[in-house]
Amino acid sequence: MTAREDLLLGFRLAVGGGRGSIVRLVLSAVGIGLAVAILLAGASAGTVKENRDQRAFASYVRSEPIPGVAPLAYRAATTDFRGQAISLVHVRPTGPNSPIPPGVDRLPAPGEVFLSPKLDELVASDTSGLLAPRLPGKPVGVIAARTMVNPNDLLAYVGTDTLRSGSMVYGFGAERGYDVMLEQGILALLLIGLFVLLTPVFIFIGTISRLGGAARDRRLAAVRLAGSSLRQLRRITAAESLVSAVAGLVVGAALFLLVRGAVPDLQVFRFGLYPEDLTPPWPLVVLIVLLVPALTVVTAWIAQRHTIVEPLGVVRESTPPKRRLWWRLLPVLAGIALVLPDFGVASELGRWALIAGAVLLMLGIPALLPWLLERVVSRIKGGSPSFQLAIRRLQSDSGTPSRVVAGLCVVIAGAIGLQSLMAGQAALGAYEDTTDGRTIVNTEGPVADKAMAAVRAVPGATDVQAMRSMFVTMDNALSSFAVADCPTIEASAGVTACHDGDVFAETPSFHKGQSLTLTTLDKKEQPWTVPVTPRPLGSKPAGIAQYQGVRVFATPSAMAGVDLTAASLTMSLRDGAANPDFVELVRNSVASLGWEANVSAYNKNRISDEARMFGDARNILLGGALFVLLLAGVSLLVLAQEQVRERRRALGALSATGVPVRVIFRSLVWQNGIPLLLGIVIATATGIGIAAVGKRMFWRSLYIDWAAVGVLAAAAIVMVLLVTASTLPSVRSAAKTESLRTD
């Protein structure tokens, strides 16, 4: 037979071998298809970052003066609507050639607004009527979608002719400056996470490629009897494997295209993706198309290393190969050598050393686990019959279960390490609640009286406190200085018996007759002489004073000769009507003041943007880890069903000799559980080690996310139990003594 005929024969054996062959082909195609879809998504990571950077650069403002260009007065403000942040960009041209933001063909006139597509949808879908008053103008157009950094951005360009302060913008499109520590640190973590999620995929492909190995060997023995040579058998094996690989490539491409079409509805770091972002570069696509079939063929050939296919049957080596330790320690030692030196994550060398070191440490898991499992099971003696059956099976073949569990444990180790790093960073970014659940309103001086009247008129507003804020030099540094009436001072500053004309200070450095300079936010300075001996401030409870960090309080009568109209106003109030939209009503009350007023509703759960980014990354990686655990579960399920099918004769013989089915089933639980428990211990130690060396990217104390450890370990254990339980019908069928008559 020629090589072409050998390949055609392998193809016919793969698709024409009866119902069993079709089932194996479908399972292989689905399994490899899932893996290919994940690989294509991972290969798109570079395109995602490049496209997002291009959109971010295009929208970034240029403040360097350009000769001949009339600048655009530009001021960004933020408002929240039911937990969603909305960016309001107020613009005022200073000439006919003032720059135009990307996505619009003209600047909005005063009283006009351009809305992003998602904000336009949100306004149209708001049945409460609370959002429309937040937009200071009439919507006249929609910003072009592809110019938004994220498809889910809520952004409005607001035209105004009263913008007195803000940035002067001479153009759009300059490259922005990065916060190196944050950007490069999160990049390093994400690259490690990408490797964590992709490594088990290759192990899964290799496991799927071994599907139906016993049946394939029997077919090859028949072909060998017909006169085929060993070289021809290898070609036939390659052809059989290529059929499932090609089918898997087709299924994977279809799954990837389905996911790609749905990405506008997904969020990553609260950032969305456009479908074209999820486009892998063609060299990587070619690499995947070549790598997946090559991996399936090579794995099928490796599976036959210890199998001798002869015309009269198949002979398998009964003695497992002796596993050596020295080469298995090399990736671990190399990883330790790379992560121990502190090169600094901001440097290119330090970043890649950390990534490579973490990758090598995780590669040590699949390298060490088979050796450790072999040593552990070889020393176990005694136990229940089911336990002894499992140990004997693992002693004769520990490589197959350890391969699947190794991929699963790579996910657990990487996820534990990354979860700990990101959870620690998110915890550091949590804001302390200094407002006691109060709503805070900050306004600039010129609109303070108007804002005060609007806030007091909000239905349900109670316990309104207000103070004028400035700065004073104290202990050689600017400190917060506030002017308020006695009820506000007594409620928020921990003092009693306040009288109009009093002054309160944290330190005794102030004294009667001292001349000081008060400074407003707009840098306006005024002289002030301390009229009385300051009284000490008490311990400030949570409230407006602690929120503002006030160190000096003065009552209105103590401010003779000082113009307070330029001082900013800070108010705090409570909801007396238990209205869930109370904060929205407060925001609407000052919405007409534009950038000159903002409302904050802080609570103990509020976190910084940086911490929220790490928290979102943590959730994404946890979800990805659980998905890959599910993929590994599918791999275990396929492998378990195939093993039961291959061991039908042995299971039937055990049942015929009087071994109950429940004992056989419990032996399968031990057989799958022992490698998993050993792997979880190794993975947890590796993950904690990665967190210990990676913590220096952000902080110096070790933070272990034990909740993530528990979730991942529990998910792995539950998955193994479910997979084993799914084999019970097959075990019952194989354990029937009647099945021995057909073998």
Side-chain angles (χ1 to χ4, degrees):
M1 295 175 63
T2 63
R4 177 175 174 275
E5 291 173 334
D6 292 336
L7 295 175
L8 290 176
L9 176 59
F11 173 77
R12 287 196 295 270
L13 291 175
V15 300
R19 187 175 63 180
S21 296
I22 296 300
V23 170
R24 281 190 291 269
L25 178 60
V26 171
L27 288 174
S28 300
V30 172
I32 294 176
L34 286 171
V36 168
I38 295 174
L39 289 175
L40 290 173
S44 304
T47 308
V48 169
K49 184 178 186 305
E50 180 181 353
N51 289 357
R52 281 186 49 79
D53 284 347
Q54 288 179 355
R55 295 193 296 269
F57 295 160
S59 62
Y60 193 69
V61 298
R62 298 177 58 184
S63 56
E64 305 84 2
I66 300 177
V69 174
L72 177 71
Y74 182 102
R75 180 153 185 171
T78 302
T79 185
D80 284 6
F81 180 72
R82 292 176 176 171
Q84 300 184 78
I86 301 174
S87 296
L88 303 176
V89 178
H90 301 264
V91 294
R92 178 180 63 83
T94 61
N97 65 341
S98 292
I100 299 175
V104 294
D105 55 3
R106 66 177 179 87
L107 290 171
E112 294 181 343
V113 295
F114 284 99
L115 307 179
S116 67
K118 280 296 181 181
L119 182 54
D120 186 52
E121 292 178 11
L122 184 61
V123 172
S125 63
D126 175 37
T127 58
S128 67
L130 294 174
L131 178 57
R134 199 76 52 79
L135 305 175
K138 175 184 177 182
V140 294
V142 178
I143 304 170
R146 292 301 185 269
T147 60
M148 306 298 298
V149 177
N150 315 287
N152 297 314
D153 280 350
L154 302 177
L155 170 68
Y157 290 124
V158 181
T160 180
D161 56 0
T162 61
L163 187 59
R164 294 182 297 273
S165 61
S167 303
M168 287 297 170
V169 177
Y170 290 83
F172 294 87
E175 293 190 2
R176 58 176 178 168
Y178 283 96
D179 182 345
V180 174
M181 198 63 173
L182 173 62
E183 293 287 343
Q184 303 301 347
I186 198 79
L187 177 62
L189 293 178
L190 288 178
L191 288 176
I192 296 173
L194 185 63
F195 171 83
V196 167
L197 298 181
L198 292 183
T199 297
V201 173
F202 294 103
I203 298 174
F204 178 69
I205 292 174
T207 303
I208 289 294
S209 303
R210 298 170 181 263
L211 197 63
R216 181 189 299 124
D217 291 342
R218 290 192 293 269
R219 292 194 301 269
L220 293 178
V223 174
R224 187 90 165 91
L225 182 61
S228 296
S229 65
L230 293 177
R231 179 174 295 181
Q232 288 177 303
L233 294 186
R234 292 175 66 85
R235 287 199 290 263
I236 294 171
T237 301
E240 285 193 75
S241 301
L242 285 174
V243 171
S244 59
V246 172
L249 287 172
V250 174
V251 172
L255 290 174
F256 175 73
L257 292 176
L258 287 175
V259 173
R260 188 175 183 267
V263 293
D265 298 325
L266 303 177
Q267 296 242 4
V268 181
F269 294 162
R270 307 182 327 291
F271 303 151
L273 303 176
Y274 293 99
E276 56 267 25
D277 292 343
L278 211 60
T279 303
W282 69 264
L284 292 181
V285 175
V286 172
L287 180 62
I288 292 172
V289 170
L290 295 177
L291 180 62
V292 171
L295 183 58
T296 58
V297 171
V298 171
T299 304
W301 284 345
I302 292 175
Q304 293 180 333
R305 286 181 305 169
H306 306 292
T307 303
I308 302 173
V309 181
E310 293 295 344
L312 297 180
V314 179
V315 180
R316 294 181 175 85
E317 295 182 8
S318 59
T319 303
K322 183 178 178 62
R323 293 184 172 87
R324 302 187 182 278
L325 177 62
W326 67 268
W327 68 266
R328 300 174 188 275
L329 291 176
L330 293 180
V332 177
L333 296 176
I336 293 174
L338 285 173
V339 299
L340 281 184
D342 190 357
F343 297 108
V345 73
S347 68
E348 193 75 15
L349 175 62
R351 191 162 58 253
W352 285 107
L354 178 64
I355 294 171
V359 165
L360 287 171
L361 285 174
M362 287 184 290
L363 280 177
I365 295 176
L368 285 173
L369 186 58
W371 182 87
L372 286 173
L373 182 60
E374 181 184 76
R375 293 299 182 275
V376 170
V377 298
S378 66
R379 288 167 171 78
I380 295 179
K381 306 294 182 183
S384 64
S386 61
F387 184 76
Q388 292 184 51
L389 283 174
I391 293 299
R392 184 66 189 94
R393 178 64 182 173
L394 290 173
Q395 287 173 347
S396 63
D397 179 20
S398 61
T400 301
S402 64
R403 276 189 294 269
V404 179
V405 171
L408 186 149
C409 292
V410 169
V411 178
I412 295 176
I416 288 173
L418 297 179
Q419 289 287 334
S420 297
L421 289 172
M422 293 183 177
Q425 185 65 15
L428 287 178
Y431 286 136
E432 181 184 358
D433 181 13
T434 59
T435 67
D436 193 24
R438 303 172 68 90
T439 300
I440 305 296
V441 182
N442 292 290
T443 66
E444 297 192 5
V447 298
D449 293 337
K450 187 183 297 185
M452 173 71 77
V455 168
R456 289 187 180 276
V458 173
T462 60
D463 192 16
V464 180
Q465 300 174 6
M467 64 184 190
R468 295 276 188 169
S469 298
M470 292 180 285
F471 296 97
V472 64
T473 301
M474 184 175 182
D475 298 332
N476 298 320
L478 284 178
S479 298
S480 180
F481 179 98
V483 180
D485 57 23
C486 278
T488 297
I489 295 176
E490 289 180 346
S492 61
V495 298
T496 58
C498 171
H499 299 89
D500 196 11
D502 287 345
V503 176
F504 303 86
E506 276 192 356
T507 65
S509 58
F510 283 21
H511 55 83
K512 181 179 179 180
Q514 183 178 2
S515 296
L516 300 171
T517 300
L518 303 179
T519 307
T520 61
L521 283 175
D522 58 1
K523 309 302 182 183
K524 181 180 179 182
E525 296 183 349
Q526 297 185 74
W528 178 62
T529 301
V530 181
V532 295
T533 300
R535 294 173 54 189
L537 278 176
S539 177
K540 294 189 290 292
I544 189 172
Q546 188 174 352
Y547 170 75
Q548 288 289 91
V550 177
R551 301 189 66 187
V552 180
F553 258 121
T555 51
S557 295
M559 303 302 296
V562 177
D563 181 13
L564 297 177
T565 58
S568 59
L569 175 70
T570 301
M571 292 174 284
S572 73
L573 63 156
R574 293 188 183 277
D575 174 21
N579 185 351
D581 286 322
F582 175 74
V583 175
E584 307 304 329
L585 294 175
V586 175
R587 290 190 176 109
N588 286 352
S589 70
V590 295
S592 62
L593 304 179
W595 69 91
E596 294 179 291
N598 66 80
V599 179
S600 301
Y602 285 77
N603 56 55
K604 61 182 179 181
N605 297 318
R606 186 174 178 84
I607 58 175
S608 66
D609 289 339
E610 176 182 336
R612 187 180 289 111
M613 175 179 287
F614 279 91
D616 291 345
R618 176 191 175 201
N619 294 334
I620 291 166
L621 285 175
L622 181 59
L626 293 176
F627 179 78
V628 176
L629 285 178
L630 178 63
L631 188 64
V634 175
S635 175
L636 278 173
L637 175 62
V638 171
L639 180 64
Q641 295 288 355
E642 184 64 19
Q643 284 185 335
V644 172
R645 190 180 297 111
E646 291 180 358
R647 298 173 58 199
R648 289 182 64 86
R649 181 178 301 176
L651 295 177
L654 285 172
S655 179
T657 58
V659 178
V661 173
R662 62 179 181 275
V663 173
I664 298 175
F665 182 71
R666 285 199 295 267
S667 74
L668 293 178
V669 175
W670 283 113
Q671 184 179 321
N672 291 329
I674 291 173
L676 177 67
L677 293 176
L678 181 61
I680 288 176
V681 172
I682 299 172
T684 302
T686 305
I688 293 175
I690 292 173
V693 297
K695 66 182 174 59
R696 60 175 176 247
M697 286 196 299
F698 306 107
W699 68 96
R700 294 292 171 182
S701 59
L702 179 61
Y703 184 98
I704 303 300
D705 188 3
W706 292 110
V709 175
V711 168
L712 293 168
I717 293 172
V718 170
M719 182 191 65
V720 168
L721 292 176
L722 291 176
V723 166
T724 307
S726 69
T727 63
L728 182 58
S730 301
V731 171
R732 289 187 181 277
S733 176
K736 293 179 180 178
T737 54
E738 291 82 0
S739 64
L740 290 176
R741 298 172 184 170
T742 61
D743 287 326

